[in-house]
Amino acid sequence: MADAITWQAVQAVADRLPLITVANGYRTNAGNSVLTEQLQADPGRGAVERLSVHLDRIAREPATLEGEDWTLQLIVQADVESNVANAQQRAHAVMADVFDLFPSGGIELPIDAGLVDVEAQTAEFLTRVDGSNASVAQIRLQAIVRLSS
């Protein structure tokens, strides 16, 4: 049995985030550490910036002529360790990189169930999340899943 549609969308976003590297023209190398679990340990790449992806909200739209659409709100969380001198600045840079990766108007990504159209929409900056020593930016993505017929 295939993975849940929601997990397919999370994984599609997580699979695209490693493109965020300086070598690919972005401001940061945040794509070197991408997690799909909020409490997952750093994969050991020594990254100063870490990205994690999780589902926040879901709505299933009524059947249309094209099939059934799912609207998901995904969060990409960027954590930058505060022990670096410019942690806030780097959190802003990572946020900008995520907005560049998922531009206005969206980008279509293939999933087993069909296509997911993903667009970065808003961001929020958090301080001292759960007592952690990090600057955190949460970027909200809208993902519309269009199922194959």
Side-chain angles (χ1 to χ4, degrees):
M1 177 174 273
D3 285 330
I5 293 165
T6 52
W7 183 250
Q8 290 178 43
V10 167
Q11 197 60 57
V13 168
D15 289 348
R16 185 164 171 76
L17 287 169
L19 292 174
I20 298 177
T21 64
V22 172
N24 287 334
Y26 291 90
R27 297 162 193 84
T28 69
N29 286 311
N32 287 339
S33 183
V34 177
L35 315 171
T36 53
E37 302 293 338
Q38 288 177 289
L39 299 177
Q40 189 175 10
D42 186 337
R45 296 186 204 136
V48 174
E49 304 101 354
R50 287 179 302 280
L51 296 173
S52 60
V53 184
H54 65 273
L55 176 67
D56 185 44
R57 295 184 183 136
I58 179 171
R60 189 168 67 180
E61 303 299 323
T64 62
L65 294 175
E66 294 81 33
E68 204 171 276
D69 289 348
W70 295 64
T71 301
L72 312 176
Q73 296 293 317
L74 302 174
I75 301 290
V76 174
Q77 182 165 306
D79 298 283
V80 180
E81 293 181 14
S82 291
N83 61 358
V84 294
N86 60 346
Q88 281 278 357
Q89 180 183 9
R90 290 175 83 144
H92 283 261
V94 175
M95 182 242 359
D97 285 345
V98 173
F99 269 82
D100 289 347
L101 188 66
F102 298 104
S104 177
I107 184 166
E108 285 188 342
L109 304 175
I111 61 173
D112 290 344
L115 289 173
V116 60
D117 189 13
V118 184
E119 173 183 27
Q121 292 192 325
T122 62
E124 180 178 356
F125 284 81
L126 311 174
T127 56
R128 305 280 301 162
V129 178
D130 296 330
S132 69
N133 192 22
S135 291
V136 177
Q138 287 188 333
I139 303 97
R140 183 174 301 277
L141 308 179
Q142 176 170 284
I144 298 175
V145 177
R146 293 184 174 83
L147 302 179
S148 301
S149 314

